[in-house]
Amino acid sequence: MEIQFREIDPFNVWIWLKFSTIPSRQERQYIEEVFDSWFYLGKLGGFNAENLQVQETGVNLSYMDYDSEGYDKSMLALMHNMGEVEYEGTWARCWFDLGTADAIALDILINAFQQLSAEYVTIEQLYIGGENEDWPVESSDNLNSFIYDN
């Protein structure tokens, strides 16, 4: 899977997927579940890089001391909005307002799509940000309505 970053405005970012064939209904469901799950975690503050206590501890996690107030000591890192996943031919796209979620969110999404592509639906390209010349964002209903709104 080719991964490419284009111009990114975290408050107005499109994520584009290109498949090897037109995705089936089941394959679309997989894609939508990845996006939905990722967004819910972001909306709940799951992508807060200031509070990665377990990750920063290293490999020996047994009996680690976890600071229960660590989350409260960090700045909020919440995603704000998500549009509906749209399809056109072998392409899919979804609009997001990533809000203040940290960049780790994009790494996690990329990892999930890489595994999804390896096991369930072949994704040839993943573009983060920018636009597709053949499918202008102005033609989207996502610009006027959101699935979720903080």
Side-chain angles (χ1 to χ4, degrees), residues 1-2 15-35 85-94 112-118 120-127 132 135:
M1 180 173 74
E2 175 190 345
I15 298 177
W16 306 83
L17 300 167
K18 184 173 185 190
F19 307 97
S20 57
T21 61
I22 295 173
S24 69
R25 193 170 67 138
Q26 183 67 40
E27 291 169 332
R28 287 179 180 206
Q29 184 177 352
Y30 290 143
I31 296 300
E32 292 166 17
E33 287 178 1
V34 169
F35 275 135
V85 180
E86 300 175 82
Y87 299 91
E88 186 171 297
T90 58
W91 283 96
R93 69 182 181 188
C94 194
F113 276 134
Q114 285 181 318
Q115 191 61 35
L116 184 75
S117 181
Y120 297 102
V121 53
T122 303
I123 302 169
E124 291 183 356
Q125 298 170 331
L126 168 63
Y127 295 155
N132 267 352
W135 192 8

Side-chain angles (χ1 to χ4, degrees), residues 101-114:
D102 291 319
I104 192 171
L106 294 172
D107 283 317
I108 291 168
L109 181 67
I110 291 167
N111 290 342
F113 276 134
Q114 285 181 318

Side-chain angles (χ1 to χ4, degrees), residues 2-3 7 9 19 22 25 27 30 33 38 54 56-57 75 88 100 132 136 141 150:
E2 175 190 345
I3 300 158
E7 184 177 343
D9 171 0
F19 307 97
I22 295 173
R25 193 170 67 138
E27 291 169 332
Y30 290 143
E33 287 178 1
W38 179 70
V54 177
E56 292 171 0
T57 295
M75 291 182 55
E88 186 171 297
T100 57
N132 267 352
D141 291 335
N150 243 1

